[in-house]
Amino acid sequence: MITLLKKILGLGPSVNFAELVQQGAIVLDVRSKAEFSGGHIKGSVNIPVQVLQNNLGQLKDKNKTIITCCASGMRSASAKSILKSNGYTSVHNGGGWSSLQSKL
């Protein structure tokens, strides 16, 4: 129960996103193409959350670490759920892309 509460409140162990990227993690930006073209993290992959389910083939290695991001963290949380339910083993919600960028 305590673990669940910590997870819900975001009080679990913090994730070192910079280290994950250095180790080869994919940054997956799930905003629209227009939002992505307006600014994004260099090297990130853009698959809008609305079409993610039908484009999982672009993310071939289900064991590769993926960090999802969007504008605020809501769509990236949905994307994380989609990926986890499709067998991706190491997925982290990076939240908003601009705040994630400052952590890289």
Side-chain angles (χ1 to χ4, degrees):
M1 181 71 167
I2 298 290
T3 306
L4 178 63
L5 284 174
K6 283 183 177 181
K7 195 172 187 178
I8 291 170
L9 297 173
L11 300 174
S14 63
V15 176
N16 185 334
F17 293 111
E19 188 176 301
L20 291 176
V21 169
Q22 287 170 356
Q23 294 171 353
I26 296 169
V27 176
L28 176 63
D29 191 319
V30 296
R31 296 176 297 148
S32 70
K33 299 271 183 217
E35 288 174 292
F36 186 78
S37 67
H40 58 272
I41 295 172
K42 185 178 177 186
S44 60
V45 174
N46 179 228
I47 306 174
V49 71
Q50 308 91 296
V51 298
L52 180 58
Q53 183 73 45
N54 296 325
N55 288 277
L56 294 174
Q58 293 182 43
L59 305 167
K60 293 175 181 32
D61 185 353
K62 291 188 175 191
N63 295 312
K64 189 166 184 84
T65 300
I66 299 173
I67 303 167
T68 61
C69 68
C70 61
S72 68
M74 296 298 291
R75 288 176 284 180
S76 57
S78 295
K80 177 182 175 182
S81 294
I82 291 168
L83 292 169
K84 293 294 271 183
S85 69
N86 280 279
Y88 291 82
T89 59
S90 180
V91 185
H92 302 275
N93 181 357
W97 77 272
S98 57
S99 68
L100 176 59
Q101 186 169 35
S102 69
K103 296 172 187 169
L104 302 178

